[in-house]
């Protein structure tokens, strides 16, 4: 499962691109308890947003639009196969995940 297939057209740094992707993914995991075996670690997601200085996105309409494209792509994947999406999120954001910071934990 390719988690992100959106080509950036704006000057977001890699940290911001990654943070937008994983924070959107974490948000979808917690939406209506979509992935009932996992819970989002709020302190970790807050730290991730702060480290990436995501507040800067709201100052630039092009960057904000890119964030929306990422969100749209992840929503598509979420809608296509929720179980697969949840597993992919866990493998990336869980305790032994491939992302640099753990954002999910088991319930």
């Amino acid at each position: 499962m390719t988690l992100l297939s959106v080509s950036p057209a704006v000057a977001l740094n890699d940290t911001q691109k990654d943070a937008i992707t994983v924070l959107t993914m974490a948000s979808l995991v917690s939406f209506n308890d979509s992935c009932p075996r996992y819970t989002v670690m709020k302190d970790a997601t807050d730290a991730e947003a702060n480290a990436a200085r995501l507040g800067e996105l709201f100052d630039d309409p092009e960057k904000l639009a890119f964030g929306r494209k990422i969100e749209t792509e992840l929503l598509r994947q979420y809608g296509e196969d929720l179980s697969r999406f949840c597993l992919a999120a866990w493998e990336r954001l869980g305790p032994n995940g491939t992302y640099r910071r753990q954002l999910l934990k088991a319930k």
Side-chain angles (χ1 to χ4, degrees):
M1 172 183 214
T2 302
L3 292 176
L4 185 62
S5 61
V6 178
S7 300
V10 296
L12 289 169
N13 64 47
D14 289 340
T15 300
Q16 289 173 319
K17 291 178 209 173
D18 288 345
I20 292 167
T21 302
V22 298
L23 292 172
T24 302
M25 184 180 283
S27 177
L28 290 171
V29 165
S30 67
F31 178 72
N32 284 337
D33 206 23
S34 297
C35 302
R37 297 180 354 180
Y38 316 129
T39 189
V40 174
M41 301 169 63
K42 182 161 177 19
D43 290 345
T45 58
D46 289 348
E48 186 67 24
N50 289 334
R53 300 185 334 261
L54 291 186
E56 295 174 4
L57 293 177
F58 298 106
D59 297 333
D60 186 331
E62 289 182 19
K63 289 180 180 179
L64 189 57
F66 177 74
R68 287 191 180 124
K69 286 180 185 177
I70 291 172
E71 180 180 61
T72 300
E73 174 62 18
L74 289 171
L75 280 167
R76 183 192 63 75
Q77 294 172 16
Y78 173 91
E80 279 181 1
D81 188 338
L82 182 56
S83 294
R84 192 165 135 188
F85 179 87
C86 291
L87 179 59
W90 180 252
E91 289 174 346
R92 187 161 188 201
L93 307 176
N96 296 312
T98 58
Y99 194 63
R100 67 178 169 262
R101 184 185 311 234
Q102 179 183 349
L103 301 178
L104 300 178
K105 63 182 179 180
K107 286 186 177 178

